[in-house]
Each structure stands twice: as structure tokens, then as C-alpha cells.
């Protein structure tokens, strides 16, 4: 999202990303089940401005390599090929490190263990901090394609009665394609997820035409079910950030920003004074959790409202009709998804009434 650029600039990697072949996104196009579309611009007349007036899109292998190099340059010791199996706790239950496989050592001690390990966080599960949401329960298939017709400088979300698909240019002539369907369809995709993905795209005429000459150029990756929430994002000696702490649904594309912003909030608390003994450390971790809830609370509410609309073709069609007729409202909503418009701008009663009128 546009606001990710602020954190990436502070880390010193934004220039490399912008000049490394990343595609730019001017906003989002949303298509409802009845075929009606609306478009929201990141650069709009509502008066809110992001760090950049555009979003960026690039393959995760490229982004992750840049971030890993940045960590090394900052002094981090990187151990690749290792898998965290469990956390180590002392007699009081405090986390004091992790056990791993595939590394030079079987155990690593730490004053603070940060679980930045994604949707099914080992750290979060071992510390019993996270639980699955009952709704929405969806799974996704993700791959890169070349030759998709009509892909421009906008991310796209196409909502159908049986799921939705997101499209985005990621540079070098490739399009990131993510098909998201209800969890009940997981069995149908088992064994041959690529075939399921191709059949899903072909099952929607407006997409079938755009993928007529497209070629899948990466393996299909499956992920889900989505929907995890941490009752709190810390325990004595440990903290969770990003998807490990909370993930609702991929529709609004929260993953990168929530990871970067959450890590920024945690880093601000873990000063040298905060590491001066267990009590000081735990006070800092609790303060991080409070700051995180304050930072994301409004966005979580917006995500839930969008999730309700996406799950109901009638509501989605109605909202799309209103947003297509009132582009300024669409710009506000897309700005919230871009993390630079405050969620309060669309949570006002007046906005909601006009949206569903």
C-alpha cells in the first residue's frame, strides 16, 4: 500500500524497490457479482495523502531478498534453512528462546522471541495466544501468469458468488493472481490446485477471455484457511507481529503493511531500557500490544464490514452501485485500504447510509 513506502524508506530499501522493477499501482478496481465496477484512486481530492501517491507491486522473492539483505546490513545474524519447532520456557513459564531443526544449534536463547512466522505461527500456537476465527473461513490459490489481457496500473478485485480473485501487475510482464474461495472447496482443489484454479477462472466469462492466452509461470501455492486472531500479541518474553498476530481475510491486502507497521511499533518499545530485566521487558511488550490495537482497531472494523459485503452478493452489488455513482466515496474507501486515510472517514454513519442507500 502507499503507506508501506514510509516504513520502507525509513529502513533504507525504498529506492532499491522502486528502481528494481516494481510495478506501480494508482488505485483499485472492484467488480461486483452483477458485473458493476467502481474504481478508487490513491491520489484523490479528499485531502488525505500517503507517503507516496501510488502503491507498489513486486514478487515476494524479490521483496524478501531486499529485506533480508537490509537485516544483515543492520547487524542481524541470519540462519537460513532452519525451522522453529517450539519455544523454550523457564520454570515460571517465561519464553527464553526457541528450539530449531536444520540449524547449527538446536536451541537459540533470546531476551525476546518475536513470532513473525505468519498465519499458522509456531510461536503463537505454542504460547496459546492465537485462535481461529469462525468466519470468514477461506483458502487461496496464488500464482504468477504472463499474458493476462488488460492488466493496467490498478489492482483488481473481482467478486463472484463462489469467491473472488485479485489481479495485480508485479513487473516483468507478470500478473499476480490470487483466487480465494470458501474453505468447503479445499477438498476439490486437493491433488491438482492448478487445475482447480484454471477451471475457476474459466468459469467466469469476463475472466476467461482475459486468460485465453495467459500462461502460468510459477507453481500454484495454496494457503489458508484464513482467519486467526491473537487474544493478545505478547506473553512474558515473546511477542507476535504481522499475520502471526492477526489475519482476517486477504481482500484488503493487509499483509505487508500490518507486518511492517507492527514491527515498527514493537521496535519502538524494545529500547535498551526495556531490555533491562524481565519486568521492564514485559511492560514494553504490553505497551506494544496496546499501541498495536490502537493502530489497527479501526481498520479491523472496516475489514469486517467488507467481509460481510463480499460474502453477500446482494450487499456487494448494492455497495458497488453506490460507489460507482459517487467516485469520491470510492476514493475514500480505497484510501483506507491504502493505509493513509483514517478508517473513521468511512465508519461515519453518513458514509454507511450513502453506501447502502
Amino acid at each position: 500500500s502507499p503507506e508501506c513506502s514510509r516504513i520502507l524508506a525509513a529502513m533504507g530499501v525504498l529506492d532499491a524497490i522502486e528502481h528494481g522493477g516494481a510495478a506501480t499501482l494508482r488505485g483499485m478496481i472492484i467488480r461486483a457479482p452483477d458485473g458493476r465496477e467502481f474504481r478508487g484512486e490513491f491520489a484523490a481530492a479528499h485531502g488525505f495523502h500517503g507517503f507516496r501517491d501510488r502503491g507498489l507491486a513486486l514478487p515476494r522473492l524479490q521483496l524478501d531478498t531486499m529485506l533480508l539483505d537490509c537485516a544483515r546490513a543492520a547487524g542481524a545474524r541470519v540462519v537460513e534453512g532452519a525451522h522453529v519447532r517450539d519455544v523454550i520456557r523457564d520454570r515460571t513459564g517465561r519464553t527464553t528462546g526457541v528450539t530449531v531443526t536444520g540449524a547449527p544449534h538446536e536451541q537459540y536463547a533470546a531476551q525476546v522471541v518475536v513470532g513473525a512466522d505468519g498465519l499458522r505461527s509456531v510461536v503463537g500456537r505454542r504460547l496459546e495466544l492465537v485462535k481461529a476465527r469462525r468466519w470468514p473461513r477461506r483458502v487461496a490459490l496464488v500464482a504468477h501468469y504472463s499474458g493476462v489481457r488488460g492488466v493496467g496500473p490498478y489492482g483488481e478485485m473481482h467478486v463472484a458468488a463462489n469467491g473472488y480473485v485479485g489481479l495485480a501487475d508485479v513487473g516483468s510482464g507478470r500478473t499476480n493472481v490470487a483466487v480465494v474461495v470458501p474453505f468447503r472447496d479445499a477438498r476439490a482443489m486437493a491433488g491438482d490446485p492448478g487445475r482447480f484454479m484454471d477451471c475457476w477462472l474459466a468459469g467466469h466469462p469476463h475472466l476467461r477471455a482475459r486468460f485465453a492466452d495467459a500462461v502460468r509461470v510459477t507453481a500454484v501455492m495454496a494457503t489458508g484457511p484464513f482467519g486467526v486472531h491473537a487474544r493478545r500479541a505478547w506473553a512474558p518474553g515473546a511477542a507476535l507481529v504481522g499475520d502471526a498476530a492477526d489475519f482476517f481475510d486477504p481482500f484488503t491486502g493487509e499483509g505487508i503493511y500490518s507486518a511492517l507497521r507492527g514491527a515498527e511499533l514493537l521496535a519502538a518499545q524494545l529500547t535498551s531500557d526495556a531490555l533491562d530485566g524481565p519486568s521492564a521487558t514485559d511492560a514494553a511488550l504490553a505497551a506494544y500490544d496496546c499501541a498495536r490495537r490502537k493502530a489497527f482497531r479501526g481498520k479491523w472494523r472496516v475489514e469486517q464490514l467488507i467481509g460481510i459485503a463480499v460474502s453477500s452478493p446482494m450487499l456487494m452489488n448494492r455497495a458497488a452501485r453506490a460507489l460507482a455513482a459517487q467516485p469520491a466515496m470510492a476514493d475514500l474507501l480505497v484510501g483506507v485500504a491504502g493505509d493513509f486515510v483514517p478508517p473513521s472517514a468511512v465508519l461515519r454513519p453518513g458514509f454507511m447510509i450513502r453506501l447502502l442507500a
Side-chain angles (χ1 to χ4, degrees):
S1 67
E3 199 60 17
C4 285
S5 294
R6 177 188 63 78
I7 306 173
L8 294 170
M11 296 170 64
V13 297
L14 181 59
D15 286 346
I17 291 172
E18 290 187 320
H19 296 96
T24 59
L25 301 178
R26 292 169 52 184
M28 295 295 299
I29 296 172
I30 314 295
R31 187 182 193 274
D34 65 359
R36 191 181 301 271
E37 293 184 355
F38 68 89
R39 184 175 71 188
E41 305 275 353
F42 289 138
H46 45 51
F48 298 101
H49 303 282
F51 186 84
R52 289 285 195 270
D53 62 0
R54 60 191 181 277
L56 297 171
L58 70 164
R60 281 294 302 272
L61 287 176
Q62 185 178 347
L63 174 64
D64 292 357
T65 297
M66 291 180 179
L67 296 180
L68 195 62
D69 289 344
C70 180
R72 286 193 181 98
R77 178 188 176 193
V78 178
V79 181
E80 297 190 76
H83 186 81
V84 174
R85 294 295 185 183
D86 204 347
V87 296
I88 303 170
R89 283 174 276 193
D90 63 17
R91 291 179 298 175
T92 68
R94 179 180 190 81
T95 300
T96 58
V98 293
T99 60
V100 301
T101 57
H105 306 285
E106 293 183 357
Q107 296 185 348
Y108 288 85
Q111 286 179 274
V112 178
V113 170
V114 179
D117 48 343
L119 191 61
R120 278 164 294 282
S121 167
V122 173
V123 177
R125 285 187 284 118
R126 293 294 187 268
L127 296 176
E128 299 182 347
L129 292 175
V130 295
K131 63 179 181 180
R133 298 179 187 269
R134 294 184 178 180
W135 176 90
R137 298 284 282 171
R138 298 187 178 113
V139 293
L141 297 173
V142 184
H144 288 178
Y145 286 73
S146 65
V148 181
R149 297 175 183 172
V151 177
Y154 293 86
E156 303 178 33
M157 301 301 296
H158 299 255
V159 183
N162 63 338
Y164 62 84
V165 61
L167 309 177
D169 178 12
V170 290
S172 302
R174 294 187 174 193
T175 300
N176 188 70
V177 181
V179 173
V180 183
V181 297
F183 182 62
R184 63 176 179 269
D185 291 338
R187 184 173 297 177
M189 66 178 66
D192 195 349
R195 182 177 181 277
F196 179 95
M197 190 171 187
D198 291 340
C199 289
W200 195 97
L201 293 167
H204 299 82
H206 73 290
L207 293 170
R208 181 169 63 244
R210 295 180 62 181
F211 280 81
D213 301 317
V215 177
R216 191 168 66 244
V217 294
T218 66
V220 176
M221 299 184 66
T223 184
F226 301 116
V228 295
H229 177 68
R231 55 185 178 85
R232 65 177 188 178
W234 75 281
L240 303 177
V241 297
D243 292 355
D246 187 272
F247 193 97
F248 182 73
D249 189 77
F251 192 89
T252 55
E254 282 305 285
I256 299 297
Y257 180 75
S258 66
L260 292 173
R261 180 60 177 144
E264 183 180 46
L265 292 170
L266 178 59
Q269 296 294 335
L270 293 181
T271 63
S272 57
D273 289 342
L275 298 176
D276 188 22
S279 297
T281 299
D282 290 348
L285 296 177
Y288 152 69
D289 197 28
C290 289
R292 171 183 164 273
R293 292 178 184 277
K294 182 178 180 180
F296 292 116
R297 185 181 294 117
K299 192 64 176 290
W300 291 338
R301 292 172 182 164
V302 174
E303 288 178 348
Q304 290 167 358
L305 291 172
I306 291 175
I308 292 171
V310 170
S311 298
S312 168
M314 181 186 70
L315 283 177
M316 190 69 202
N317 293 337
R318 193 169 183 174
R321 182 171 64 248
L323 292 167
Q326 302 179 74
M329 290 179 62
D331 291 339
L332 274 176
L333 186 60
V334 168
V336 172
D339 301 305
F340 64 91
V341 173
S344 58
V346 301
L347 292 172
R348 298 192 310 266
F351 186 97
M352 303 305 296
I353 290 172
R354 284 186 291 158
L355 184 64
L356 299 176

